[in-house]
Amino acid sequence: MSVYTPRLLSSSGAELNLRSQMLFLDHTNVNTKDLITSIASWNQRYIHESSHWARFHGCSVGILLVILRRTRDLLAAHTLEQLDVQDVARFYRERLDGASLFDYLDKEPLNRLGKLLLSQRQDWLDLHFAYQVLLEPKFLGSAHGQWPAKDAIQTALEIIWHQSSGDEMLLRTARGQGSGVRLGGQVALVAGGEGIVSTRLLFECAAVLDELLLQIGSFNRMADPALLKMLGRTLDEDYGMPYRFAEELAGGNLDPITVLTLIDFAINPVVPGLHTQETNIDWREIYPPLRFAEAAHVISSCSSELRASWPSAEAITLLQEEIAERTGLRMGIVLPDLSPVSSMRECATRIRHHTQRIPDLTLFYSSKLLHDRRENPHLLSHYGLNFVDKGVLRFVDPEQDIWWMFPPLRVVAGRYSWPADRINIDEATTLFFESAISSAYDDATHGVGPLSRTHLPSVEFDDDEILSALNAEIRREIRFPLSWSKS
């Protein structure tokens, strides 16, 4: 069984890998006959994936997904640590025969696992299920289809609030005391005429529209018009599905500025523990595609003056407030402070468990992005504005360093890279190791076969010293005799 790796992809093949939290890019393809077009093309790919980073980590559903992932990794680590030697040997033999430790299709889990592991299996699979439904339900196969969706999501929301209470989420009573999270409404997906509209597709559509915003900049206007035609073809395919779906619901044409506003409303749902201490939440309020559909349905009756406005903090806020009033859905906000750290270096040097360091890093960036959202929400909802006209000035002003708008860990042509002005090579190596090890917990608990490494920089695995150190650490951590191999 292969383990699902969530990705946000550009049409050119670049990706923000959400399993490792690394941005994958190729070197700039410099065409000496048309240098401007070559640079503009590379810039569009970089902005596409950077917009994924800023939008995902600067919205409430992205933060919810980070916490869901971290909590299931912590549970996997705890489970593997508590196994006795005999169980480690038995489960490893079963893994070789194609049976994962936590499997949706396990027909006799109590007989195989016992009561304690059965409970841990249920919680892990609930956390795993909730993550996938919220991000990309098309990856849910028949095995997942038999899982009780509403109970699983409700339990997952309860677990993460209990585990993160007082840290990244608001304080609440101990689990088992008081009322737990209650999910109302039927857990249903959103389907248009072209297929399922997922949260992932909302992010992809928004990133292409950010690329479209770049075309108004003077630099891109000097590039080959074929770049714009390529964007048009991309929008004609899957990434444009949410756009066409919104126009169908609205009963008419919508401009890209309005669709970006709808997407921003959709990906910022109310999340118990992040937005409020209320324990009751309805599926239609927490599921981004449903929020998007309902917002699109009412947008044509919203203020035409606001819809026609060029994005500004005031215009975006007023339009989203009107959407909220007409749909009865609230615009979600994140109330607690997400991170106590003050620098990327501190994220790398604090004493933390393998499962926590990369989430600590992303939540540190989220805390910066949420500050931007409070001050300038249009620069996250319409990310492309940061790179045209006056928006570009922020990037050349030394007093306005906004490094948190870009992914810190990158893979360029298979080689790992990092911001050398923020961390040194030892700290960068720590983050690389932590990303590799934490992302291997899914392989150890839910997968079979060799450890996956497609989400990690390939060149580093050709170094015998690095490979040996990684394999020694992963075996200590997961306890199964698994290892990565050279490419």
Side-chain angles (χ1 to χ4, degrees):
M1 181 195 317
S2 60
V3 172
Y4 165 53
T5 295
R7 300 177 175 93
L8 297 173
L9 296 155
S10 74
S11 58
S12 63
E15 70 173 58
L16 176 64
N17 192 295
L18 297 176
R19 189 174 177 191
S20 61
Q21 293 292 344
M22 293 182 185
L23 171 64
F24 283 73
L25 286 166
D26 292 326
H27 285 303
T28 308
N29 181 20
V30 178
N31 183 342
T32 54
K33 295 180 180 178
D34 190 355
L35 184 59
I36 289 178
T37 299
S38 296
I39 295 173
S41 176
W42 185 91
N43 190 52
Q44 281 185 199
R45 283 180 287 154
Y46 182 65
I47 298 307
H48 182 111
E49 298 308 327
S50 295
S51 78
H52 283 327
W53 172 269
R55 188 171 277 112
F56 185 91
H57 294 97
C59 72
S60 62
V61 77
I63 293 163
L64 169 59
L65 289 167
V66 167
I67 295 174
L68 281 168
R69 159 71 192 280
R70 181 191 62 184
T71 306
R72 84 167 187 253
D73 285 350
L74 277 166
L75 177 55
H78 174 75
T79 300
L80 294 170
E81 182 182 344
Q82 297 302 312
L83 294 177
D84 61 32
V85 174
Q86 291 77 15
D87 279 340
V88 169
R90 175 167 66 90
F91 290 130
Y92 178 64
R93 287 195 301 271
E94 292 179 359
R95 192 180 188 281
L96 292 176
D97 290 334
S100 59
L101 180 61
F102 294 154
D103 189 345
Y104 286 98
L105 286 177
D106 197 336
K107 295 180 179 178
E108 297 182 335
L110 179 59
N111 293 339
R112 191 171 74 91
L113 301 175
K115 289 185 178 180
L116 177 59
L117 277 178
L118 180 66
S119 174
Q120 292 169 339
R121 166 187 179 267
Q122 180 75 42
D123 286 349
W124 192 94
L125 291 175
D126 284 347
L127 291 162
H128 184 263
F129 182 92
Y131 184 102
Q132 295 203 63
V133 169
L134 286 167
L135 181 62
E136 181 55 284
K138 83 173 186 179
F139 289 100
L140 299 176
S142 58
H144 305 71
Q146 300 169 19
W147 207 249
K150 187 172 181 178
D151 289 345
I153 296 166
Q154 184 173 274
T155 299
L157 293 173
E158 171 67 23
I159 291 171
I160 63 169
W161 193 353
H162 171 66
Q163 293 293 330
S164 303
S165 176
D167 293 321
E168 298 84 12
M169 303 185 82
L170 299 171
L171 280 169
R172 64 163 302 165
T173 57
R175 192 177 180 198
Q177 298 177 9
S179 58
V181 174
R182 291 291 177 267
L183 183 66
Q186 180 183 358
V187 174
L189 305 180
V190 175
E194 299 178 61
I196 299 295
V197 178
S198 67
T199 304
R200 183 189 66 84
L201 273 182
L202 295 179
F203 281 112
E204 299 291 12
C205 182
V208 177
L209 296 181
D210 285 328
E211 289 186 73
L212 198 60
L213 284 179
L214 294 181
Q215 304 309 309
I216 67 173
S218 56
F219 184 81
N220 282 66
R221 288 200 298 269
M222 293 186 289
D224 190 328
L227 281 181
L228 186 57
K229 291 181 181 179
M230 289 173 62
L231 275 179
R233 287 197 294 270
T234 300
L235 279 172
D236 286 341
E237 297 172 350
D238 285 354
Y239 288 5
M241 186 203 299
Y243 199 132
R244 295 187 292 275
F245 181 60
E247 289 186 322
E248 178 186 338
L249 293 176
N253 294 334
L254 297 174
D255 63 89
I257 302 299
T258 300
V259 175
L260 280 168
T261 304
L262 297 179
I263 292 173
D264 191 63
F265 181 84
I267 62 176
N268 282 284
V270 169
V271 178
L274 290 177
H275 175 99
T276 174
Q277 288 184 313
E278 297 173 26
T279 55
N280 295 333
I281 188 68
D282 199 86
W283 180 242
R284 67 185 283 267
E285 187 156 49
I286 200 171
Y287 188 50
L290 271 176
R291 293 173 58 85
F292 180 72
E294 295 204 28
H297 187 71
V298 304
I299 192 63
S300 59
S301 61
C302 291
S303 168
S304 58
E305 182 178 338
L306 286 176
R307 284 188 285 128
S309 297
W310 187 246
S312 67
E314 182 181 16
I316 297 303
T317 299
L318 289 174
L319 183 54
Q320 289 180 338
E321 286 176 351
E322 187 171 352
I323 292 170
E325 183 178 350
R326 291 179 181 275
T327 61
L329 302 174
R330 294 168 289 178
M331 177 73 175
I333 57 176
V334 177
L335 291 177
D337 293 329
L338 293 176
S339 176
V341 303
S342 59
S343 68
M344 187 178 178
R345 171 162 286 120
E346 191 176 349
C347 292
T349 56
R350 292 176 79 206
I351 303 300
R352 304 295 278 165
H353 190 270
H354 290 303
T355 58
Q356 294 174 292
R357 199 181 301 276
I358 297 300
D360 279 358
L361 176 66
T362 62
L363 292 171
F364 166 58
Y365 273 70
S366 290
S367 67
K368 299 288 188 182
L369 289 163
L370 290 177
H371 181 268
D372 283 351
R373 177 172 288 283
R374 289 189 290 270
E375 299 294 321
N376 297 296
H378 61 300
L379 296 183
L380 281 185
S381 62
H382 297 70
Y383 182 82
L385 293 178
N386 290 285
F387 307 96
V388 296
D389 298 333
K390 293 181 180 178
V392 181
L393 298 179
R394 292 204 305 164
F395 295 100
V396 296
D397 184 349
E399 295 183 2
Q400 296 192 56
D401 186 5
I402 48 175
W403 43 267
W404 55 85
M405 299 284 281
F406 305 96
L409 307 181
R410 304 170 195 175
V411 182
V412 181
R415 187 173 293 279
Y416 178 56
S417 65
W418 60 91
D421 58 332
R422 307 215 164 264
I423 54 174
N424 60 36
I425 188 170
D426 291 334
E427 293 153 352
T429 301
T430 295
L431 292 175
F432 167 65
F433 270 60
E434 299 292 39
S435 183
I437 293 165
S438 63
S439 60
Y441 283 109
D442 277 0
D443 285 313
T445 55
H446 189 54
V448 296
L451 289 176
S452 172
R453 31 165 285 196
T454 56
H455 56 291
L456 298 168
S458 58
V459 172
E460 314 311 322
F461 288 88
D462 292 329
D463 185 307
D464 290 334
E465 186 176 349
I466 292 176
L467 186 60
S468 176
L470 271 172
N471 285 333
E473 187 62 28
I474 195 66
R475 288 178 178 179
R476 276 195 298 270
E477 194 60 31
I478 67 176
R479 302 183 66 202
F480 293 158
L482 299 174
S483 61
W484 287 286
S485 59
K486 280 190 171 185
S487 56

